[in-house]
Amino acid sequence: MRARVLVTTRAGGRSAPPYDENNLALHVGDDPDVVAANRQRLGGELGVDRVRFMHQVHGAAVAIADATTDGDVPDADALVTTTRGLAIAVLVADCVPIALVSRRAIAVVHAGRRGLVEGIVSAAVDAIHRYDEGPVAATVGAAICGGCYEVPADMQAEVAGVVPAAKATTATGTPGLDLPAAVRSQLRDAGVDVTNESAPCTREDPRYYSHRRDGVTGRFALVAMLEP
Ligand SMILES: [Zn+2]
């Protein structure tokens, strides 16, 4: 079974500033009808009626999606499915989006600072292994880099105490967090093969939304689907 993974950019949707153009999130103050149209367009690109999103809460809960979970959006930070042709998505604007792909199951994961500490990455890998004990591969999408993500020293110490790879120094020499490096480290510890060694930094690359750079802004998506 083959999986498709794609990461959207700001380009191509109907959202007006400051959400321009392809905002896919309903919780950031954008016009819901416009967001619905942007989501519809994304589904069209994948050849599906709709894309399944989560209500992300910066926790470590994993939800299962199948053809019957059509209506409700679960409170979760990872979404797993074994259903072919079901497109699942994670929304971000600096946090780390991850796709996990095994032969029989896929997951999308939202890993921010809090989720990382609470263990969302290993929880999602464990959830995949409930359906498939075989190898798991990960794609890590665009996220804020360690050079751009300044945090107070005590916050850095807290996160690096859980994931040492998170410790970074920003471009201006202050304490920082490298969330993508931390995610890659946790994935490898969980036995996952990370397929891409780097991804763009959302704060530096204007193709992506960045909450740190822009404040009020939209969200882009990482979408995964087992081919029908
Ligand atoms: Zn950066």
Side-chain angles (χ1 to χ4, degrees), residues 10-220:
R10 294 185 78 133
R14 293 193 207 159
S15 295
Y19 307 105
D20 52 310
E21 300 165 336
N22 193 25
N23 168 46
L24 295 163
L26 288 163
H27 67 282
V28 293
D30 195 0
D31 180 338
D33 292 336
V34 172
V35 175
N38 292 343
R39 288 181 170 194
Q40 193 70 40
R41 182 172 159 277
L42 175 63
E45 275 176 41
L46 289 154
V48 298
D49 293 345
R50 59 188 291 260
V51 177
R52 267 76 168 184
F53 294 88
M54 303 172 270
H55 177 233
Q56 299 165 193
V57 292
H58 291 279
V62 181
I64 309 300
D66 61 30
T68 65
T69 56
D70 219 31
D72 294 324
V73 177
D75 278 5
D77 288 277
L79 203 50
V80 177
T81 190
T82 56
T83 305
R84 298 183 204 193
L86 196 86
I88 53 177
V90 52
L91 294 170
V92 286
D94 289 339
C95 287
V96 186
I98 311 160
L100 299 175
V101 176
S102 75
R103 224 163 62 80
R104 286 202 284 270
I106 55 170
V108 290
V109 186
H110 167 242
R113 175 176 53 82
R114 273 160 51 202
L116 199 72
V117 169
E118 291 193 22
I120 187 61
V121 173
S122 62
V125 175
D126 289 349
I128 290 252
H129 281 316
R130 262 175 251 138
Y131 299 99
D132 186 345
E133 291 180 358
V136 179
T139 303
V140 179
I144 193 165
C145 80
C148 287
Y149 188 23
E150 184 182 47
V151 293
D154 57 342
M155 187 182 285
Q156 183 196 52
E158 183 212 334
V159 179
V162 179
V163 199
K167 190 171 181 180
T169 302
T170 67
T172 53
T174 56
L177 287 175
D178 190 334
L179 297 184
V183 161
R184 285 188 166 83
S185 156
Q186 288 191 323
L187 287 167
R188 289 197 189 93
D189 286 351
V192 173
D193 174 33
V194 182
T195 60
N196 61 330
E197 265 320 300
S198 66
C201 169
T202 43
R203 195 179 185 186
E204 294 172 67
D205 190 328
R207 290 177 299 169
Y208 300 97
Y209 296 106
S210 168
H211 183 257
R212 273 274 167 139
R213 183 186 62 221
D214 300 328
V216 176
T217 191
R219 299 290 183 272
F220 65 95

